[in-house]
Amino acid sequence: MNIRVQQQSLTSLESDVLVIPLTQGEQSNETVQVLSATLNGALREQITRSGFTGKEGETLLFHTQGRLPSRSVLLVGLGKADAVETETWRRLAGKSYKEARGQGAKHLAWFFAADRGRDDALAAVVEATLLSSYTFDKYKSEKNGKPAVETLTLAGTNLQKTATLTRALDIAQKTAPGVFLARDLINEPASVSTPTYLAEQAAKLSRGNGLKGEIWGLNKIKAAKMSGLLAVARGSVEEPRFIKLIYKPAGKPRKKVALVGKGLTFDSGGLSLKPAKSMETMKLDMSGGATVLGVMEVVSQLKPQVQVTGYVPATENMPSGTAQKPGDIIRYNNGKTVEVLNTDAEGRLILADALIQAVQEKPDVIIDLATLTGACVVALGGQIAGLFSNNQELAEALLRCGTETGEPLWRLPLVKEYKEDIKSSVADIKNIGSGNAGAIAAALFLEEFVGGLPWAHLDIAGPAFAERDGSYIPKGGTGFGVRTLVRYLLSL
Ligand code: BES
Ligand code: ZN
Ligand code: ZN
């Protein structure tokens, strides 16, 4: 999509759909008066008839019948003036994009009144418009048919393209492809998006992008004694892969950050088999890995002054004659032993290996993302990810970035007393808790492998995959976390 920012009056702007954001009670403000005058009062009449007042999410589409250079005007409601948030702009942008797409619009424009063209609002509109343009229809014989929106124009009578705005637009434009990469990897069926496929995509990403890539095959994984990954993978015909991507900035990095993503390309539960219904969406179980790859792509374009290493342990979790069995014990290469009581708690088993690898390189910060527990979905639902951290500053930074990007995180506690729940009678720890707090037990398990380094764990089991279309996040893989992590890395 081509994006333009220009100073222009409402009556000279050419577009297919011209979006005019209005706060509640503003339905006869100056902008609307100018419009009404040009449109011979017909717009006034329609506003009155429809009862449009600018409530959040309200829309009114008006065809200009050639009286304006724009084919139609779309009034959108921002809601109460004192409650307009960045996320409000994103949601409206998503809604407007859908409306424009439905109209077959090629040129979408937004008009900002003098007091409304704040940089963060403009950037949010661009970001969400881009994010809304995502489709995954490669397996559909009948495509949407409507042409894609080609240009997005942000206009206003005194809109300034400030340095901050230019930077924000650049970030939005370079971040969207990373989100799309993550969404694509998640949306591909598990029989396509296999560990080998993920590894190939990672290798492709590293070529020509200034990233260093290392893909470990079965032999290297065996040699490195990644016992958790091997234990989970042994039930599957698909070979595991361990993906490592490194971004090094020119000059001295301000920080070294390790990102670890669960790359479980299909979770059947293994011998602790899931019921059919719970398995339907289990291609989503590599979302953490997809997010890490998405972030690496963005980082290679935005080039922050931090070193970022992405680690993705990738495997399937399948039942078979060679599968690991409940009661098996894994010995990790840092000496820890784990009793596997439920083969469906496999994410933590493969993440442990990746965390051990990450710790060896002594990063300043480790952040892992994983669709780890159904318990987290029960606690926080489909919109919010659970955040666990052993470091206050890191937790606060991530919470702030999540709020700012519209990817909300909610901090849950690493309750020391619950460590008792993952003690095993035959090994050091076991892979399920004996208490009720499943998301916490999983996080405490991971904490055993971070060697005391500043670490945060995002349980994205809820928001990684949308059950239905949202305003700017379509049904399916969401790419949750890419924008938050990019924002975090840029803030260091
Ligand atoms: N991949 C699942 C978690 C999950 C559930 C992700 C729903 C997305 C949506 C994970 O591997 C799993 O099966 N966890 C078990 C752990 C339990 C056996 C301790 C769970 O949450 O039921
Ligand atoms: Zn599982
Ligand atoms: Zn899983």
Side-chain angles (χ1 to χ4, degrees), residues 95-140:
K95 217 165 183 176
S96 306
Y97 177 87
K98 273 192 220 161
E99 184 67 49
R101 182 99 205 241
Q103 297 288 320
K106 282 194 177 153
H107 306 293
L108 171 61
W110 279 66
F111 183 79
F112 295 90
D115 59 333
R116 199 141 298 158
R118 291 197 340 265
D119 288 347
D120 61 335
L122 299 178
V125 166
V126 169
E127 174 182 51
T129 305
L130 289 170
L131 292 174
S132 305
S133 70
Y134 178 82
T135 50
F136 186 77
D137 58 5
K138 62 191 277 200
Y139 296 106
K140 281 211 176 258

Short mmCIF file of all heavy atoms in Angstrom, two decimals, residues 95-140:
data_model
loop_
_atom_site.label_atom_id
_atom_site.label_comp_id
_atom_site.label_asym_id
_atom_site.label_seq_id
_atom_site.Cartn_x
_atom_site.Cartn_y
_atom_site.Cartn_z
N LYS A 95 -12.01 -0.74 10.76
CA LYS A 95 -13.40 -0.68 10.31
C LYS A 95 -13.50 0.04 8.95
O LYS A 95 -14.17 -0.41 8.03
CB LYS A 95 -14.22 0.09 11.35
CG LYS A 95 -15.58 -0.45 11.53
CD LYS A 95 -16.26 0.04 12.77
CE LYS A 95 -17.59 -0.69 12.81
NZ LYS A 95 -18.35 -0.41 14.00
N SER A 96 -12.80 1.16 8.86
CA SER A 96 -12.84 1.97 7.63
C SER A 96 -12.22 1.20 6.47
O SER A 96 -12.70 1.26 5.34
CB SER A 96 -12.08 3.28 7.84
OG SER A 96 -12.58 3.94 8.95
N TYR A 97 -11.12 0.50 6.77
CA TYR A 97 -10.48 -0.27 5.71
C TYR A 97 -11.45 -1.31 5.15
O TYR A 97 -11.58 -1.47 3.95
CB TYR A 97 -9.21 -0.96 6.22
CG TYR A 97 -8.59 -1.81 5.13
CD1 TYR A 97 -7.69 -1.26 4.23
CD2 TYR A 97 -8.95 -3.15 4.97
CE1 TYR A 97 -7.17 -2.01 3.19
CE2 TYR A 97 -8.44 -3.92 3.94
CZ TYR A 97 -7.54 -3.33 3.06
OH TYR A 97 -7.04 -4.08 2.03
N LYS A 98 -12.14 -1.99 6.06
CA LYS A 98 -13.09 -3.03 5.63
C LYS A 98 -14.20 -2.42 4.78
O LYS A 98 -14.61 -3.00 3.78
CB LYS A 98 -13.71 -3.72 6.85
CG LYS A 98 -12.88 -4.86 7.35
CD LYS A 98 -13.69 -5.68 8.35
CE LYS A 98 -12.82 -6.09 9.50
NZ LYS A 98 -13.53 -6.47 10.68
N GLU A 99 -14.69 -1.29 5.21
CA GLU A 99 -15.74 -0.60 4.47
C GLU A 99 -15.22 -0.24 3.06
O GLU A 99 -15.88 -0.50 2.05
CB GLU A 99 -16.16 0.66 5.23
CG GLU A 99 -17.32 1.43 4.63
CD GLU A 99 -18.64 0.67 4.69
OE1 GLU A 99 -18.97 0.17 5.77
OE2 GLU A 99 -19.33 0.59 3.64
N ALA A 100 -14.02 0.32 3.03
CA ALA A 100 -13.43 0.74 1.75
C ALA A 100 -13.24 -0.47 0.84
O ALA A 100 -13.58 -0.45 -0.34
CB ALA A 100 -12.10 1.44 2.00
N ARG A 101 -12.73 -1.54 1.42
CA ARG A 101 -12.50 -2.77 0.65
C ARG A 101 -13.83 -3.29 0.10
O ARG A 101 -13.93 -3.70 -1.05
CB ARG A 101 -11.84 -3.81 1.56
CG ARG A 101 -11.48 -5.11 0.91
CD ARG A 101 -10.01 -5.15 0.54
NE ARG A 101 -9.78 -6.08 -0.54
CZ ARG A 101 -9.00 -7.15 -0.44
NH1 ARG A 101 -8.38 -7.41 0.66
NH2 ARG A 101 -8.83 -7.93 -1.49
N GLY A 102 -14.85 -3.25 0.94
CA GLY A 102 -16.18 -3.70 0.53
C GLY A 102 -16.72 -2.86 -0.61
O GLY A 102 -17.48 -3.35 -1.46
N GLN A 103 -16.34 -1.60 -0.64
CA GLN A 103 -16.78 -0.69 -1.70
C GLN A 103 -15.91 -0.84 -2.96
O GLN A 103 -16.14 -0.16 -3.95
CB GLN A 103 -16.66 0.78 -1.24
CG GLN A 103 -17.53 1.15 -0.06
CD GLN A 103 -18.99 1.23 -0.45
OE1 GLN A 103 -19.32 1.71 -1.52
NE2 GLN A 103 -19.85 0.70 0.40
N GLY A 104 -14.91 -1.67 -2.88
CA GLY A 104 -14.00 -1.83 -4.02
C GLY A 104 -13.11 -0.62 -4.21
O GLY A 104 -12.62 -0.34 -5.30
N ALA A 105 -12.88 0.13 -3.12
CA ALA A 105 -12.09 1.36 -3.20
C ALA A 105 -10.62 1.08 -3.47
O ALA A 105 -10.05 0.15 -2.89
CB ALA A 105 -12.24 2.16 -1.91
N LYS A 106 -10.02 1.88 -4.35
CA LYS A 106 -8.57 1.76 -4.56
C LYS A 106 -7.85 2.84 -3.77
O LYS A 106 -6.73 2.66 -3.34
CB LYS A 106 -8.25 1.95 -6.05
CG LYS A 106 -8.52 0.72 -6.87
CD LYS A 106 -7.87 0.85 -8.23
CE LYS A 106 -8.07 -0.41 -9.03
NZ LYS A 106 -8.05 -0.14 -10.47
N HIS A 107 -8.53 3.99 -3.63
CA HIS A 107 -7.90 5.11 -2.93
C HIS A 107 -8.70 5.46 -1.69
O HIS A 107 -9.83 5.91 -1.78
CB HIS A 107 -7.79 6.32 -3.85
CG HIS A 107 -7.10 5.98 -5.15
ND1 HIS A 107 -5.77 5.63 -5.19
CD2 HIS A 107 -7.57 5.87 -6.41
CE1 HIS A 107 -5.45 5.34 -6.44
NE2 HIS A 107 -6.53 5.47 -7.20
N LEU A 108 -8.04 5.23 -0.57
CA LEU A 108 -8.67 5.51 0.71
C LEU A 108 -7.98 6.75 1.29
O LEU A 108 -6.77 6.87 1.24
CB LEU A 108 -8.46 4.29 1.61
CG LEU A 108 -8.84 4.36 3.09
CD1 LEU A 108 -10.33 4.64 3.26
CD2 LEU A 108 -8.48 3.06 3.78
N ALA A 109 -8.78 7.67 1.80
CA ALA A 109 -8.19 8.87 2.39
C ALA A 109 -8.83 9.17 3.73
O ALA A 109 -9.97 8.78 3.99
CB ALA A 109 -8.35 10.06 1.45
N TRP A 110 -8.06 9.80 4.59
CA TRP A 110 -8.57 10.26 5.89
C TRP A 110 -8.38 11.76 5.94
O TRP A 110 -7.34 12.28 5.52
CB TRP A 110 -7.78 9.64 7.04
CG TRP A 110 -8.18 8.25 7.40
CD1 TRP A 110 -8.03 7.13 6.63
CD2 TRP A 110 -8.77 7.81 8.64
NE1 TRP A 110 -8.49 6.03 7.30
CE2 TRP A 110 -8.94 6.42 8.54
CE3 TRP A 110 -9.14 8.45 9.82
CZ2 TRP A 110 -9.49 5.66 9.57
CZ3 TRP A 110 -9.69 7.70 10.85
CH2 TRP A 110 -9.87 6.32 10.71
N PHE A 111 -9.38 12.45 6.45
CA PHE A 111 -9.23 13.89 6.64
C PHE A 111 -9.20 14.20 8.13
O PHE A 111 -10.11 13.84 8.87
CB PHE A 111 -10.36 14.66 5.96
CG PHE A 111 -10.18 16.14 6.10
CD1 PHE A 111 -9.29 16.82 5.28
CD2 PHE A 111 -10.87 16.84 7.08
CE1 PHE A 111 -9.09 18.19 5.43
CE2 PHE A 111 -10.67 18.21 7.24
CZ PHE A 111 -9.78 18.88 6.41
N PHE A 112 -8.15 14.88 8.55
CA PHE A 112 -8.00 15.22 9.97
C PHE A 112 -8.20 16.71 10.18
O PHE A 112 -7.53 17.52 9.55
CB PHE A 112 -6.60 14.83 10.46
CG PHE A 112 -6.36 13.36 10.43
CD1 PHE A 112 -5.83 12.75 9.30
CD2 PHE A 112 -6.68 12.56 11.52
CE1 PHE A 112 -5.63 11.38 9.24
CE2 PHE A 112 -6.48 11.19 11.48
CZ PHE A 112 -5.96 10.60 10.35
N ALA A 113 -9.16 17.04 11.03
CA ALA A 113 -9.36 18.45 11.38
C ALA A 113 -8.11 18.94 12.10
O ALA A 113 -7.34 18.14 12.63
CB ALA A 113 -10.59 18.58 12.27
N ALA A 114 -7.94 20.24 12.12
CA ALA A 114 -6.71 20.86 12.64
C ALA A 114 -6.26 20.30 13.99
O ALA A 114 -5.08 20.04 14.21
CB ALA A 114 -6.91 22.35 12.74
N ASP A 115 -7.20 20.06 14.90
CA ASP A 115 -6.81 19.65 16.25
C ASP A 115 -6.65 18.14 16.37
O ASP A 115 -6.43 17.62 17.44
CB ASP A 115 -7.89 20.11 17.23
CG ASP A 115 -9.25 19.53 16.88
OD1 ASP A 115 -9.47 19.25 15.69
OD2 ASP A 115 -10.08 19.36 17.79
N ARG A 116 -6.81 17.40 15.29
CA ARG A 116 -6.92 15.96 15.42
C ARG A 116 -5.75 15.18 14.84
O ARG A 116 -5.61 14.00 15.06
CB ARG A 116 -8.22 15.54 14.73
CG ARG A 116 -8.70 14.20 15.16
CD ARG A 116 -10.19 14.18 15.31
NE ARG A 116 -10.63 15.10 16.32
CZ ARG A 116 -11.85 15.61 16.38
NH1 ARG A 116 -12.74 15.32 15.46
NH2 ARG A 116 -12.18 16.44 17.34
N GLY A 117 -4.92 15.87 14.06
CA GLY A 117 -3.85 15.15 13.36
C GLY A 117 -2.63 14.90 14.21
O GLY A 117 -1.51 15.12 13.79
N ARG A 118 -2.84 14.40 15.44
CA ARG A 118 -1.69 14.12 16.29
C ARG A 118 -0.90 12.95 15.72
O ARG A 118 -1.46 12.02 15.15
CB ARG A 118 -2.14 13.82 17.71
CG ARG A 118 -2.72 15.05 18.42
CD ARG A 118 -2.77 14.84 19.93
NE ARG A 118 -2.72 13.44 20.31
CZ ARG A 118 -3.81 12.70 20.55
NH1 ARG A 118 -5.01 13.22 20.42
NH2 ARG A 118 -3.68 11.45 20.91
N ASP A 119 0.42 13.02 15.91
CA ASP A 119 1.29 12.00 15.33
C ASP A 119 0.88 10.58 15.70
O ASP A 119 0.85 9.69 14.85
CB ASP A 119 2.74 12.23 15.77
CG ASP A 119 3.34 13.44 15.08
OD1 ASP A 119 2.74 13.93 14.10
OD2 ASP A 119 4.41 13.90 15.52
N ASP A 120 0.54 10.36 16.97
CA ASP A 120 0.24 8.98 17.37
C ASP A 120 -1.07 8.49 16.73
O ASP A 120 -1.21 7.33 16.38
CB ASP A 120 0.23 8.82 18.89
CG ASP A 120 -0.82 9.68 19.56
OD1 ASP A 120 -1.20 10.71 18.98
OD2 ASP A 120 -1.26 9.32 20.67
N ALA A 121 -2.01 9.41 16.53
CA ALA A 121 -3.26 9.03 15.87
C ALA A 121 -3.01 8.67 14.41
O ALA A 121 -3.48 7.65 13.91
CB ALA A 121 -4.27 10.17 15.97
N LEU A 122 -2.21 9.50 13.74
CA LEU A 122 -1.91 9.25 12.32
C LEU A 122 -1.16 7.92 12.17
O LEU A 122 -1.49 7.11 11.30
CB LEU A 122 -1.05 10.38 11.75
CG LEU A 122 -1.68 11.78 11.76
CD1 LEU A 122 -0.70 12.81 11.22
CD2 LEU A 122 -2.95 11.81 10.95
N ALA A 123 -0.20 7.70 13.04
CA ALA A 123 0.58 6.47 12.95
C ALA A 123 -0.30 5.26 13.22
O ALA A 123 -0.17 4.22 12.56
CB ALA A 123 1.74 6.50 13.94
N ALA A 124 -1.23 5.40 14.18
CA ALA A 124 -2.12 4.29 14.50
C ALA A 124 -3.03 3.97 13.31
O ALA A 124 -3.29 2.79 13.03
CB ALA A 124 -2.95 4.63 15.73
N VAL A 125 -3.49 5.00 12.63
CA VAL A 125 -4.36 4.78 11.46
C VAL A 125 -3.58 4.02 10.38
O VAL A 125 -4.07 3.05 9.80
CB VAL A 125 -4.91 6.13 10.93
CG1 VAL A 125 -5.50 5.96 9.54
CG2 VAL A 125 -5.94 6.69 11.90
N VAL A 126 -2.36 4.46 10.14
CA VAL A 126 -1.55 3.80 9.11
C VAL A 126 -1.27 2.34 9.52
O VAL A 126 -1.46 1.41 8.73
CB VAL A 126 -0.22 4.55 8.87
CG1 VAL A 126 0.72 3.74 8.02
CG2 VAL A 126 -0.51 5.89 8.23
N GLU A 127 -0.85 2.16 10.76
CA GLU A 127 -0.52 0.82 11.25
C GLU A 127 -1.71 -0.13 11.10
O GLU A 127 -1.60 -1.22 10.53
CB GLU A 127 -0.12 0.92 12.73
CG GLU A 127 0.12 -0.43 13.39
CD GLU A 127 0.46 -0.29 14.87
OE1 GLU A 127 -0.28 0.40 15.59
OE2 GLU A 127 1.47 -0.87 15.29
N ALA A 128 -2.87 0.31 11.58
CA ALA A 128 -4.03 -0.58 11.57
C ALA A 128 -4.59 -0.78 10.16
O ALA A 128 -5.13 -1.84 9.85
CB ALA A 128 -5.10 -0.04 12.51
N THR A 129 -4.45 0.23 9.31
CA THR A 129 -4.90 0.06 7.93
C THR A 129 -4.05 -1.03 7.26
O THR A 129 -4.57 -1.93 6.61
CB THR A 129 -4.80 1.38 7.15
OG1 THR A 129 -5.52 2.38 7.86
CG2 THR A 129 -5.38 1.24 5.74
N LEU A 130 -2.74 -0.93 7.49
CA LEU A 130 -1.85 -1.95 6.92
C LEU A 130 -2.20 -3.33 7.48
O LEU A 130 -2.33 -4.30 6.73
CB LEU A 130 -0.39 -1.62 7.26
CG LEU A 130 0.22 -0.43 6.52
CD1 LEU A 130 1.57 -0.06 7.13
CD2 LEU A 130 0.39 -0.75 5.04
N LEU A 131 -2.36 -3.41 8.80
CA LEU A 131 -2.64 -4.71 9.42
C LEU A 131 -3.97 -5.29 8.94
O LEU A 131 -4.12 -6.51 8.83
CB LEU A 131 -2.65 -4.58 10.95
CG LEU A 131 -1.29 -4.27 11.59
CD1 LEU A 131 -1.45 -4.03 13.08
CD2 LEU A 131 -0.28 -5.39 11.33
N SER A 132 -4.91 -4.42 8.63
CA SER A 132 -6.23 -4.88 8.15
C SER A 132 -6.17 -5.46 6.76
O SER A 132 -7.08 -6.18 6.34
CB SER A 132 -7.22 -3.72 8.12
OG SER A 132 -7.28 -3.10 9.36
N SER A 133 -5.13 -5.09 6.03
CA SER A 133 -5.10 -5.50 4.62
C SER A 133 -4.67 -6.97 4.46
O SER A 133 -4.62 -7.49 3.35
CB SER A 133 -4.15 -4.59 3.84
OG SER A 133 -2.81 -4.85 4.22
N TYR A 134 -4.37 -7.63 5.57
CA TYR A 134 -3.92 -9.02 5.51
C TYR A 134 -5.05 -9.98 5.14
O TYR A 134 -6.15 -9.88 5.67
CB TYR A 134 -3.35 -9.44 6.86
CG TYR A 134 -2.91 -10.90 6.89
CD1 TYR A 134 -1.67 -11.27 6.39
CD2 TYR A 134 -3.77 -11.89 7.38
CE1 TYR A 134 -1.27 -12.60 6.41
CE2 TYR A 134 -3.37 -13.22 7.40
CZ TYR A 134 -2.13 -13.57 6.90
OH TYR A 134 -1.74 -14.88 6.91
N THR A 135 -4.76 -10.87 4.21
CA THR A 135 -5.71 -11.95 3.92
C THR A 135 -4.93 -13.26 3.80
O THR A 135 -3.75 -13.26 3.45
CB THR A 135 -6.45 -11.74 2.58
OG1 THR A 135 -5.47 -11.46 1.58
CG2 THR A 135 -7.45 -10.61 2.65
N PHE A 136 -5.60 -14.34 4.11
CA PHE A 136 -4.98 -15.66 3.89
C PHE A 136 -6.00 -16.45 3.09
O PHE A 136 -6.86 -17.12 3.64
CB PHE A 136 -4.67 -16.35 5.22
CG PHE A 136 -3.91 -17.64 5.05
CD1 PHE A 136 -2.56 -17.63 4.77
CD2 PHE A 136 -4.56 -18.87 5.16
CE1 PHE A 136 -1.85 -18.82 4.61
CE2 PHE A 136 -3.85 -20.06 4.99
CZ PHE A 136 -2.49 -20.03 4.72
N ASP A 137 -5.94 -16.31 1.75
CA ASP A 137 -6.97 -16.94 0.93
C ASP A 137 -6.38 -17.84 -0.15
O ASP A 137 -7.05 -18.17 -1.13
CB ASP A 137 -7.91 -15.88 0.32
CG ASP A 137 -7.16 -14.87 -0.52
OD1 ASP A 137 -5.93 -15.03 -0.71
OD2 ASP A 137 -7.79 -13.90 -0.99
N LYS A 138 -5.11 -18.25 0.06
CA LYS A 138 -4.45 -19.04 -0.99
C LYS A 138 -5.13 -20.38 -1.23
O LYS A 138 -4.95 -20.97 -2.29
CB LYS A 138 -2.97 -19.21 -0.69
CG LYS A 138 -2.67 -19.96 0.59
CD LYS A 138 -1.20 -19.86 0.96
CE LYS A 138 -0.35 -20.89 0.21
NZ LYS A 138 0.95 -21.10 0.91
N TYR A 139 -5.91 -20.86 -0.27
CA TYR A 139 -6.58 -22.15 -0.48
C TYR A 139 -8.04 -21.99 -0.87
O TYR A 139 -8.78 -22.96 -0.94
CB TYR A 139 -6.48 -23.00 0.78
CG TYR A 139 -5.03 -23.37 1.12
CD1 TYR A 139 -4.38 -22.74 2.17
CD2 TYR A 139 -4.33 -24.31 0.37
CE1 TYR A 139 -3.06 -23.06 2.48
CE2 TYR A 139 -3.01 -24.62 0.66
CZ TYR A 139 -2.38 -24.00 1.72
OH TYR A 139 -1.07 -24.32 2.02
N LYS A 140 -8.48 -20.76 -1.11
CA LYS A 140 -9.87 -20.53 -1.48
C LYS A 140 -9.97 -20.39 -2.99
O LYS A 140 -9.22 -19.62 -3.60
CB LYS A 140 -10.37 -19.24 -0.83
CG LYS A 140 -10.74 -19.38 0.62
CD LYS A 140 -11.88 -18.41 0.94
CE LYS A 140 -12.37 -18.57 2.34
NZ LYS A 140 -13.61 -19.32 2.42
#
